Amino acid sequence: MSQSTIESILQEQRLFSPPPELAEQAHIKSFAEYEQLYAKAKADPAAFWAELAEQELDWFEPWHTVLDWQPPFAKWFVGGKLNITYNCLDRHLKTWRRNKAALIWEGEPGDSRTLTYAQLHREVCQAANVLKQLGVTKGDRVGIYMPMVPEAAIAMLACARIGAPHTVVFGGFSAEALKDRLNDAQAKLVITADGGFRKDKTIPLKAAVDQALTNDGAPSVQNVLVVQRTKEAISMQTGRDHWWHDLLAEASADCPPEPMDSEDMLFILYTSGTTGRPKGVVHTTAGYNLYTHMTCKWAFDLKDTDVYWCTADVGWITGHSYIVYGPLSNGATSLMYEGVPRPSNPGCFWDVVEKYGVNIFYTAPTAIRAFIKLGNEYPQARDLSSLRILGTVGEPINPEAWIWYQQVIGGSKCPIVDTWWQTETGGFMITPLAGATPTKPGSATRPFPGILADVVDLEGNPVADNEGGYLVIRHPWPSMMRTVYGDDERFRHTYWEHLPPRNGQYIYFAGDGARRDQDGYFWIMGRVDDVINVSGHRLGTMEIESALVSHPAVAEAAVVGRPDDLKGEDIFAFVTLENTQSPSEDLKAELKQHVVNEIGVIARPGEIRFAEALPKTRSGKIIRRFLRNLASGEELVGDASTMEDQSVLEKLRQGF
Ligand code: WTA
């Protein structure tokens, strides 16, 4: 965050109460009611979740133990059997929702499609049967690399239907990144599309899959299922590649949901961390189902009459929890949009809101800041009066953007639901409940009932009100990640031993800095580790460094985040070259493209600086703090006396 953002957040005092008309009709109607729920959950978390699990989900068999906590490994609803697709689909078919819109899809360029619950159920069952026919059985992992089309959601649900954990890889990742993830997950099959539309261009997804699989790149993959989207020419390898529409046309629509154990794996989703390799975050069935269901219902006050739109991509956790599973479990109408705002279509979001009468709208601060820049005329040219609740996620929102969102998009009548959470947490952790929680611009407000959030120092001691510290969670919650796929030690070490456990008490280390104010409101200050957040996309600096040094011209690289008014942070890379190489603008461009090839377009460095040497300690560790200061144009803070060679810093500074 830039200094000016931090200052404006520190001075923020405004308080906005939920509109009385909204509160009266809400699931949770007042702050007092929230506080009661919070106190009840805190007194006996297991009983609190058990009651909700019984009320809100359908089970094939009841559980015998609500929580089995062997720190840091949790099991929820042990012994229970269910299938999340039964909760997302079948149970609604028995009600009037049968013919209600489950998914509304607005595609590029101008296509659209609506699937009722009955239609979605049918396609999910057919797709599930196709997976079975291609040899996928319970427990097999399936990669999904898709554009934002209904088939992406159908593919996820089809996997869940038969108990095959999916691992969705965002379509903006490169073939290399896809390959790594398919290998780590040992995926048996990949579901993709010929291509996708993005920003007036098409993205050749199938070609990327081909590239990932060339030369036995991902030997576990036996079959590729291809959805036709762009209709561009692609190559189909006989025996391995199959058209989705061909196989679905022949498939039976009868596919009973596989009875899953509460703790059976639902999906793996890769995310960036401090160390180089992205980690496979594992989520399981029952706890995830319950928690995404409850958070979606209470925080967004989701009603049967709502058209709900989350603008995320299904390749991220936000798409998993709040486009697919959370809304569908509630029987809601979830809107999927294939487009992204771009200069040629600056009003596209507002067109969609008007066209479908969207009631709940959920997006990222980066998008909001981009809209502010585009000007008020675009939202003002559309009828946005259907909106009743606005949400934000992914990065801290600066108070200016919050107020603009509230006034210009929300017409000063919509609560702003700023949701803090992570891939690892599965669902919202700190968030207002739309009808209950008074909001402060820039604060994610209070923890969800059942979430014991705290701010602590490096020893794990709580810090005083308004003092900064590390954000932690003190008690397991149903949708917490269960492990890093194939690496329990990394899970333990990264999240639970970063702050040493005391008296047998393990606390979850989120990796974010935060402050809690005198009212118990949380203010998230951004990552405290080597993770950077570019336009709400989470990237590890080490991943980008590894990508850079894999280029033959590069000797060493250090990547830091630089505050950016639009993207939140931008990627700034310091690079030293091999002796044989000389710096040039062409080489900079080549290196940027190299990172795009290695990771994906979201990781393209905003700036590369060539340096003769990088500042290091005597033991050879790069001192990133100084690089961050330099990149942000700040004074160098901290002690330079531990540096091996003081002149390095001077030379670097001269370049700025
Ligand atoms: C950041 C996205 C401030 C935070 C759901 C977190 C936020 C990381 C907020 C997780 C918010 C997410 N306010 N920061 N409302 N929401 N973050 O795993 O740094 O892609 O640790 O999950 O995004 O990113 P991830």
Side-chain angles (χ1 to χ4, degrees), residues 393-396 418-423 512 524 527 533 538:
V393 62
E395 31 171 340
D418 177 359
T419 60
W420 175 82
W421 61 294
Q422 310 177 296
T423 305
D512 279 301
I524 313 298
R527 299 291 302 197
N533 196 323
R538 177 170 161 184

Side-chain angles (χ1 to χ4, degrees), residues 530-545:
D530 292 322
V531 169
I532 54 180
N533 196 323
V534 184
S535 301
H537 296 151
R538 177 170 161 184
L539 292 160
T541 51
M542 297 262 286
E543 270 173 86
I544 306 169
E545 288 165 8

Side-chain angles (χ1 to χ4, degrees), residues 56 64 169 207 236 244 276 370 480 493 522 532 602 624 629 642:
E56 302 280 333
H64 54 73
V169 179
M236 294 288 280
W244 169 280
M480 63 193 262
H493 169 82
F522 286 77
I532 54 180
I602 54 171
R624 290 156 179 289
N629 294 151
T642 56

Side-chain angles (χ1 to χ4, degrees), residues 22-35:
L22 191 143
E24 276 160 27
Q25 307 287 325
H27 291 298
I28 310 299
K29 297 177 172 35
S30 66
F31 199 53
E33 192 179 342
Y34 157 76
E35 287 197 304

Side-chain angles (χ1 to χ4, degrees), residues 24 155 171 174 185 209 348-349 362 391 405 449 523 539 596:
E24 276 160 27
S174 67
V209 172
C348 60
F349 274 18
Y362 185 37
Y405 197 29
W523 301 77
L539 292 160
V596 172

